[in-house]
Amino acid sequence: AKMKTDKQKELEKKYQFKTNYVVDIENFKNNILNKTAIPYQVEFQAPPRGKKICWLECPYCYGLSAKDTGERLEKERGLEILRQILDGGVKKIIFAGYATDPLNYKFIDNLVQVPLDYKQVMGFHTKAIKVSDRLIRLITNSELTPKSYFSTSVDAGSNETYNIVHGLPPQQGKIYEKVKKNLKKIILARNKSTSHLDVSATFLINSLNGNVSEVKNFIRDFKNIGVDAVRFTFPQSPRGYNQKTSDDPNIPNREEKDILKIELKELIEKENSSYYRVVFIDNDEILGIDDKERTLPCFSRWVFPSIGYDGYLS
């Protein structure tokens, strides 16, 4: 029980962006100037299977403004880049995607094998709509490095709401159930081994899914599956996103966020415990950056660079 509590505290700390990646900022700046800075992690955005970038068409996706030139990183080149990254001293690989999903890649299992062989930390940000048996074996391997994690974006507590929130026809299919089934398989496999994998589920709140019954159902379902933590927050307004009307349900404004927080506060606090973490993060309010332009470049590009699905560094 203590080990589970420690894992959840670590997840909560990560979700609140409290991890201190750069201890000595002056030394770090000198390393940048001397071109000797080694990134803390590299995000690897596995290329999609074909022309369609992602399984879904989420209206709040931060990659909507990205231009898809049709270029795709080839399998062998991707494997070689991963080896170069890890040979260079990077300690952590994150499989995620800008406008895509890393598990929507034909050879994702081959990519995952590389950091596993190097015994480095791995992270996943995914919808987990399709998870292969081989991938489950890899990420629940007893040799997986501690602090590796699997974070699944769910954003709903039922099949119909899942489809509505993710830009699909309400009755298209039981994708929510499929995601639950996939996460349950991962957790059961992890629990049978000595794997260090942390498993969490996330929920972006808006007026389409932010009612008490929907949130309560989500918490109950993923608590029963055995995830280590669930996180609630709000979708950010993506670059290039044009709100069609003032009451656009996809991206809540500050007033709407405050109302949703009041309605859900009691439920979330009640469900949170030392054994099962349920956290609510609203950093836009904490940092005062609602509807503020994000400024680049900044130090983050030397701490968290990424390899896009087209093979370019960003």
Side-chain angles (χ1 to χ4, degrees):
K2 184 180 184 302
M3 186 163 70
K4 189 173 180 67
T5 300
D6 289 344
K7 286 172 65 175
Q8 288 158 328
K9 285 181 178 177
E10 184 70 32
L11 277 173
E12 186 171 4
K13 184 179 177 183
K14 184 186 67 170
Y15 277 147
Q16 292 174 331
F17 306 101
K18 290 184 177 179
T19 305
N20 186 6
Y21 295 114
V22 179
V23 179
D24 185 338
I25 189 65
E26 290 302 321
N27 183 58
F28 183 65
K29 285 196 290 187
N30 287 331
N31 287 338
I32 291 173
L33 292 171
N34 295 326
K35 299 184 179 179
T36 58
I38 297 176
Y40 172 76
Q41 70 182 41
V42 174
E43 180 178 301
F44 197 96
Q45 301 171 1
R49 295 163 181 263
K51 290 183 178 180
K52 187 174 173 59
I53 296 179
C54 188
W55 289 310
L56 305 173
E57 297 178 0
C58 308
Y60 52 81
C61 176
Y62 58 78
L64 287 176
S65 63
K67 182 180 179 180
D68 179 14
T69 64
E71 288 187 80
R72 301 287 185 266
L73 181 62
E74 295 294 332
K75 173 190 171 185
E76 293 305 323
R77 178 60 178 155
L79 292 169
E80 176 59 26
I81 288 173
L82 268 180
R83 295 188 193 102
Q84 289 180 15
I85 289 169
L86 294 168
D87 283 334
V90 174
K91 304 298 183 185
K92 184 176 181 181
I93 297 292
I94 305 299
F95 292 103
Y98 188 79
T100 185
D101 191 294
L103 303 192
N104 187 27
Y105 176 52
K106 186 176 181 180
F107 302 109
I108 185 64
D109 303 347
N110 301 75
L111 295 179
V112 170
Q113 184 72 58
V114 178
L116 185 64
D117 290 343
Y118 278 76
K119 301 187 184 306
Q120 300 300 11
V121 178
M122 269 190 286
F124 294 83
H125 293 274
T126 174
K127 300 290 188 187
I129 293 175
K130 185 173 182 179
V131 180
S132 72
D133 290 339
R134 182 187 173 195
L135 181 67
I136 293 175
R137 288 195 300 271
L138 290 171
I139 63 178
T140 59
N141 189 303
S142 60
E143 295 184 6
L144 187 73
T145 302
K147 297 189 179 180
S148 294
Y149 66 89
F150 193 94
S151 177
T152 300
S153 177
V154 183
D155 312 332
S158 63
N159 288 305
E160 183 176 3
T161 302
Y162 188 98
N163 290 356
I164 292 171
V165 169
H166 294 100
L168 299 173
Q171 306 302 325
Q172 179 159 319
K174 297 182 178 181
I175 303 177
Y176 177 77
E177 295 297 329
K178 184 182 290 187
V179 172
K180 284 200 303 178
K181 182 179 178 181
N182 286 337
L183 271 195
K184 186 174 182 179
K185 286 170 67 176
I186 291 171
I187 292 168
L188 287 173
R190 178 197 68 180
N191 293 348
K192 289 178 181 178
S193 72
T194 55
S195 171
H196 297 283
L197 186 71
D198 298 327
V199 181
S200 60
T202 66
F203 192 115
L204 293 176
I205 303 170
N206 59 27
S207 61
L208 297 169
N209 59 16
N211 60 79
V212 172
S213 61
E214 191 78 22
V215 170
K216 189 173 184 178
N217 195 60
F218 163 78
I219 294 173
R220 182 200 64 203
D221 282 351
F222 287 88
K223 185 175 185 178
N224 290 340
I225 288 170
V227 300
D228 299 301
V230 298
R231 179 196 64 167
F232 293 92
T233 190
F234 298 108
Q236 292 183 341
S237 183
R239 185 177 63 182
Y241 182 80
N242 295 314
Q243 277 195 303
K244 303 170 186 65
T245 64
S246 60
D247 59 350
D248 185 343
N250 296 294
I251 309 289
N253 58 35
R254 172 44 53 192
E255 182 181 353
E256 291 166 334
K257 290 177 183 178
D258 290 339
I259 292 171
L260 288 165
K261 283 169 69 174
I262 291 169
E263 292 174 349
L264 299 173
K265 183 175 185 287
E266 183 180 350
L267 170 64
I268 291 173
E269 288 180 351
K270 180 182 176 183
E271 292 290 345
N272 186 38
S273 69
S274 60
Y275 188 73
Y276 183 68
R277 289 293 191 197
V278 181
V279 297
F280 196 118
I281 311 296
D282 185 8
N283 279 310
D284 282 0
E285 180 185 45
I286 294 169
L287 300 173
I289 55 174
D290 271 308
D291 301 319
K292 295 285 179 67
E293 293 288 340
R294 271 44 170 183
T295 304
L296 293 175
C298 64
F299 281 159
S300 66
R301 62 177 174 169
W302 282 283
V303 184
F304 307 124
S306 63
I307 306 295
Y309 59 77
D310 54 5
Y312 290 94
L313 178 68
S314 62

